[in-house]
Amino acid sequence: MNMKKVCMIAAALLLSATSAFALPYMCFYTAGSDTPAAIGTTGLSIDVNDTELTAANTAGEKLTFPLNTLTAMEFSWDTLSVGALPSAAEPCTVYTLDGLRAGEFTSLEQALAELPAGLYVINTNGKSVKILIGK
């Protein structure tokens, strides 16, 4: 197992002791997928062997991932979590978390420059992702 994966898993396990109580979901990202797999954090346990990571909870949910495909893990308020950003050159429509349209932009770069700090949903080419803009 490579050192980066060992460190990522160790950090996630360490965070699970403190963060899992505040955030209801843990999201797992794998290579080749823009959508995370999520599991509830109530009674969450994570087991790692030489080739796989298995997450299970007291609600009976269980997820297993080959370690060589796992790219990231994070705790989240929802199962959508924060996805990969669209191409900076594509036109996009941006919404607030309330569903109000914040604007239409010729590029993600323009949206990032013109929007005030906050959490938004960006829609481009039929895909939506959340983005946090901090200024």
Side-chain angles (χ1 to χ4, degrees):
M1 188 174 355
N2 79 33
M3 190 53 125
K4 181 179 176 184
K5 290 212 186 280
V6 170
C7 291
M8 182 177 74
I9 292 166
L13 294 174
L14 180 61
L15 287 173
S16 69
T18 57
S19 300
F21 297 107
L23 298 171
Y25 298 100
M26 182 158 204
C27 296
F28 297 88
Y29 295 85
T30 55
S33 176
D34 292 335
T35 306
I39 189 169
T41 57
T42 303
L44 180 66
S45 66
I46 297 176
D47 296 312
V48 180
N49 65 30
D50 289 336
T51 61
E52 293 181 327
L53 177 144
T54 300
N57 63 23
T58 54
E61 297 174 300
K62 184 177 178 181
L63 298 172
T64 300
F65 305 94
L67 289 175
N68 63 346
T69 66
L70 196 58
T71 58
M73 300 181 288
E74 69 179 353
F75 291 98
S76 179
W77 285 108
D78 58 43
T79 58
L80 297 177
S81 196
V82 178
L85 290 177
S87 167
E90 296 176 14
C92 59
T93 304
V94 180
Y95 299 89
T96 65
L97 293 184
D98 300 350
L100 300 174
R101 188 167 49 170
E104 291 189 30
F105 301 91
T106 58
S107 67
L108 176 60
E109 189 174 277
Q110 179 193 13
L112 294 173
E114 294 181 14
L115 289 168
L119 189 59
Y120 298 93
V121 176
I122 295 180
N123 183 291
T124 185
N125 289 332
K127 287 188 175 184
S128 296
V129 295
K130 285 187 232 167
I131 184 170
L132 176 62
I133 298 174
K135 293 185 178 186

